[in-house]
Amino acid sequence: MRRLTKPKVYLVSRPSVDWDKVARLLADEGLPDIPESIRAGEDESAAIVEVSARLCYMSFGRGRKHIEDFIENLLSKGDGSVFEHVNYGFVITGVSRSLTHELVRHRAGFAYSQRSQRFVDESDSPFVVPPAIEEGSPEYAILRDALEKAARSYQELVDALEESIPGQLDLNEDGGGQGVFTTKWDRRKAIRQAARAVLPNATETKIFVTANVRAWRHFIEMRGAAFADWEIRRLALDILEMLQGEAPLLFGDFTIEELPDGTRTATPTHSKV
Ligand SMILES: Cc1cc2nc3c(=O)[nH]c(=O)nc-3n(C[C@H](O)[C@H](O)[C@H](O)COP(=O)(O)OP(=O)(O)OC[C@H]3O[C@@H](n4cnc5c(N)ncnc54)[C@H](O)[C@@H]3O)c2cc1C
């Protein structure tokens, strides 16, 4: 039985600005050139927020001189919609189905693509050990026994369904009609979708998640809190650290703290912008 204890998080998409087009817009509108202050180093994420916020008031070249002040003012006022222009996409592997069930509850501003248990054979899938269970502990032995049993049951069900589901399955209750399996994949899907009933929450899954900064901030606030499940909390912290590196002005107000149990939490200064 293969087991995993940590997620892998890959940042696969990030925002970028076409500065030539921004310059042309400003010239076309007879506005001042892009101030250097908007281009705060490599952090183009914050520049996107500033350009979109300034468009609302056509305030290019006026007001706050530093992008840090500008962003801080938006966060403190809760002007969250301009943070929706900045998107980051992650591929996440080595997480459990229980984690992703919680993750996909986050709706606003999120897009998901997840490995399918109907299409993909789960016979050899690893299991994710919850952070609270230490390898070698009595709890681990209970978990391992249950997971091994589930893996065996899955394989037994797949084998049994291979025999019991006919190659030509009738749609109609009266036995008439045409077979529904038009390709060999349809039949495999029917077998796997039934056999997955015995797969545990600990089964590993892989998911591609894209969200905008407003949505990521809300996710990290909810799932980085002490009362969140440890596995998703650890993921929220991993994502926060990556996003703080990518977009320090947009995620810099989160404080990371270590709890006595060794787990960590994240708390923003500006809640739910
Ligand atoms: C510690 C913890 C325990 C939880 N326990 C449970 C549980 O026992 N059972 C359970 O079912 N869920 C549980 N949840 C999930 C929780 O109820 C939310 O579904 C999840 O956290 C997503 O939050 P959200 O709706 O704010 O996020 P999103 O769906 O991303 O929405 C973000 C914000 O947009 C607004 N919004 C989004 N959709 C709508 C809408 N349709 N109408 C109006 N406003 C909207 C809201 O302001 C919302 O806060 C738990 C969450 C946490 C963090």
Side-chain angles (χ1 to χ4, degrees):
M1 184 188 79
R2 291 191 296 137
R3 66 199 186 288
L4 300 168
T5 53
K6 279 195 183 128
K8 285 188 179 167
V9 185
Y10 308 85
L11 176 64
V12 293
S13 68
R14 54 165 65 89
S16 70
V17 181
D18 186 331
W19 289 107
D20 291 340
K21 296 288 175 2
V22 176
R24 191 185 303 168
L25 160 77
L26 297 177
D28 288 351
E29 296 292 327
L31 293 163
D33 288 343
I34 307 161
E36 275 307 306
S37 63
I38 284 193
R39 313 174 81 155
E42 292 178 2
D43 184 11
E44 299 203 321
S45 56
I48 295 170
V49 174
E50 178 157 353
V51 169
S52 61
R54 287 198 181 279
L55 187 89
C56 300
Y57 307 109
M58 294 304 273
S59 68
F60 294 95
R62 290 191 275 119
R64 289 170 202 279
K65 292 277 176 283
H66 299 292
I67 194 166
E68 290 85 351
D69 296 341
F70 194 88
I71 299 294
E72 173 64 21
N73 184 51
L74 291 172
L75 286 172
S76 61
K77 284 198 307 186
D79 281 349
S81 64
V82 286
F83 294 86
E84 294 172 16
H85 293 291
V86 187
N87 283 265
Y88 291 94
F90 294 91
V91 170
I92 300 163
T93 67
V95 289
S96 69
R97 271 257 163 180
S98 27
L99 182 148
T100 56
H101 187 75
E102 295 184 344
L103 173 59
V104 300
R105 293 295 302 278
H106 292 267
R107 300 156 291 173
F110 276 87
Y112 301 103
S113 302
Q114 181 166 16
R115 170 184 153 118
S116 167
Q117 288 189 330
R118 299 178 70 207
F119 280 88
V120 182
D121 176 21
E122 294 281 9
S123 311
D124 194 33
S125 286
F127 295 106
V128 177
V129 180
I133 298 183
E134 268 182 51
E135 206 166 323
S137 67
E139 296 82 6
Y140 182 76
I142 298 170
L143 177 74
R144 193 195 51 220
D145 286 352
L147 297 179
E148 283 174 355
K149 173 86 176 51
R152 269 198 310 277
S153 299
Y154 177 81
Q155 196 52 61
E156 283 166 13
L157 261 181
V158 168
D159 294 344
L161 287 161
E162 282 282 0
E163 299 299 321
S164 64
I165 294 187
Q168 292 294 313
L169 186 72
D170 284 332
L171 257 184
N172 300 337
E173 277 178 11
D174 64 6
Q178 295 293 307
V180 292
F181 298 135
T182 49
T183 72
K184 62 178 181 178
W185 292 107
D186 290 342
R187 188 157 183 282
R188 278 189 206 166
K189 204 166 67 179
I191 290 167
R192 288 170 186 167
Q193 73 195 14
R196 69 176 169 168
V198 295
L199 291 173
N201 272 338
T203 309
E204 191 236 3
T205 185
K206 306 177 200 298
I207 193 164
F208 189 154
V209 195
T210 304
N212 66 56
V213 164
R214 188 183 203 183
W216 279 126
R217 285 184 57 94
H218 181 58
F219 167 78
I220 294 163
E221 179 174 357
M222 300 292 289
R223 303 299 179 173
F227 44 80
D229 181 281
W230 289 9
E231 190 191 358
I232 199 167
R233 178 144 53 92
R234 183 176 57 192
L235 176 70
L237 269 289
D238 286 352
I239 288 174
L240 172 62
E241 285 179 327
M242 293 171 87
L243 290 177
Q244 283 184 327
E246 289 287 314
L249 296 183
L250 307 186
F251 292 93
D253 64 311
F254 278 87
T255 307
I256 297 176
E257 277 180 290
E258 190 163 325
L259 299 182
D261 62 13
T263 66
R264 298 187 304 159
T265 60
T267 315
T269 305
H270 306 295
S271 175
K272 203 174 187 196
V273 297

